[in-house]
């Protein structure tokens, strides 16, 4: 696992042209992306429906980059095996979803995938503290999940990023801190200054005139 102080840029295919997702993933790879972020939505945990494990399988052969799968679904435990089989490298589940968080994180680890835990803007940092010694990545959502193209929620989320960084250092833990939602050339630096190192961006990268330049700008 790469160290949690290295800045990692992860384009979200949610904002790509799904009709040619293979080419879109290759484009991100060639533009210098580090990971590919896949936003799975079930229309129940979040208002939107996106794609399932078969879409992850469709993406897999087109890149060797880490597939960072974000499950915005009510029962991640129920579908975990399918996302592992589909070729996910990292799987992130929501603390607010209806599952046994400890059991799900353990199962992700046993499958050889990176263990990610996500919390929504309205969820207090205290909710994830019991699990921080069992994860490889904490995803602090910087928008209300469900749709790309929303605005970065600085006040509600940056204190949690800073708290996650402080907790990691105080307890000698090793987890990436990822942000997702409204991340662009400006907000990426605010997130970085507070302690985030994995930057998920959909609209600002897939909508950029030159993705390679946009990724470079995000590296700071
Ligand atoms: C949850 C999704 C989005 C997406 C990124 O809604 O996780 O945050 O990845 O969206 P942008 O970068 O377009 O705000
Ligand atoms: Zn996401």
């Amino acid at each position: 696992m790469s160290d949690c102080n290295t800045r990692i840029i992860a384009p979200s295919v949610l904002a790509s042209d799904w009709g040619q997702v293979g080419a879109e993933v290759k484009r991100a790879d060639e533009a210098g992306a580090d990971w590919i972020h896949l936003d799975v939505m079930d229309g129940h945990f979040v208002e939107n429906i996106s794609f399932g494990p078969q879409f992850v399988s469709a993406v897999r052969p087109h890149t060797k980059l880490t597939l960072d799968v974000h499950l915005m679904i009510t029962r991640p435990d129920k579908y975990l095996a399918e996302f592992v089989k589909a070729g996910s490298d990292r799987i992130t589940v929501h603390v607010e979803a209806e599952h046994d968080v400890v059991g799900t994180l353990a199962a992700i680890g046993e499958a050889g995938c990176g263990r990610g835990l996500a919390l929504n803007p309205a969820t207090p940092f205290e909710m994830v503290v019991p699990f921080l010694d069992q994860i490889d990545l904490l995803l602090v959502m910087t928008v209300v999940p469900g749709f790309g193209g929303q605005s970065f929620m600085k006040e509600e989320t940056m204190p949690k990023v800073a708290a996650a960084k402080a907790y990691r250092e105080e307890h000698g833990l090793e987890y990436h801190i990822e942000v997702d939602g409204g991340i662009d050339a400006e907000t990426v630096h605010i997130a970085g200054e507070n302690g985030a190192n994995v930057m998920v961006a959909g609209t600002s990268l897939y909508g950029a005139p030159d993705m390679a330049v946009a990724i470079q700008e995000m590296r700071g």
Side-chain angles (χ1 to χ4, degrees):
M1 302 281 177
S2 45
D3 100 67
C4 50
N5 292 306
T6 310
R7 182 161 293 186
I8 289 164
I9 308 298
S12 164
V13 293
L14 189 75
S16 73
D17 173 357
W18 295 14
Q20 45 175 347
V21 71
E24 290 282 78
V25 161
K26 271 202 183 72
R27 181 157 79 90
D29 193 333
E30 284 154 12
D34 300 301
W35 297 357
I36 297 292
H37 188 80
L38 290 132
D39 285 306
V40 178
M41 302 178 185
D42 65 359
H44 184 255
F45 182 73
V46 291
E47 284 308 300
N48 195 2
I49 297 176
S50 62
F51 43 73
Q54 215 168 322
F55 190 88
V56 177
S57 310
V59 164
R60 183 69 278 175
H62 296 284
T63 180
K64 293 202 173 358
L65 293 182
T66 293
L67 295 189
D68 176 38
V69 176
H70 175 194
L71 299 183
M72 287 166 272
I73 68 177
T74 300
R75 288 290 314 278
D77 52 326
K78 198 170 154 198
Y79 298 94
L80 197 54
E82 289 174 70
F83 281 102
V84 172
K85 212 163 80 212
S88 308
D89 295 297
R90 293 176 164 273
I91 297 178
T92 296
V93 297
H94 272 261
V95 69
E96 305 93 351
E98 291 165 21
H99 63 121
D100 161 28
V101 175
V102 172
T104 306
L105 291 171
I108 295 171
E110 277 145 32
C113 295
R115 302 162 296 168
L117 186 62
L119 70 163
N120 288 333
T123 303
F125 175 69
E126 290 63 38
M127 279 279 282
V128 296
V129 168
F131 313 108
L132 294 179
D133 60 348
Q134 303 154 52
I135 61 170
D136 306 298
L137 177 143
L138 181 72
L139 167 49
V140 179
M141 287 305 295
T142 42
V143 294
V144 173
F147 299 90
Q150 300 178 73
S151 304
F152 181 73
M153 297 169 70
K154 181 179 173 185
E155 282 65 36
E156 300 87 336
T157 64
M158 290 303 102
K160 292 193 274 186
V161 168
K165 180 169 189 266
Y167 189 96
R168 182 179 67 194
E169 284 160 8
E170 275 155 38
H171 295 80
L173 297 174
E174 276 282 310
Y175 48 78
H176 289 286
I177 299 173
E178 182 175 67
V179 286
D180 176 6
I183 301 298
D184 60 22
E186 193 196 312
T187 58
V188 68
H189 301 302
I190 300 170
E193 281 152 21
N194 281 280
N197 74 296
V198 184
M199 311 297 183
V200 172
T203 308
S204 66
L205 289 181
Y206 275 105
D210 183 328
M211 193 191 261
V213 168
I215 288 177
Q216 264 321 100
E217 280 172 2
M218 286 203 168
R219 289 200 192 286

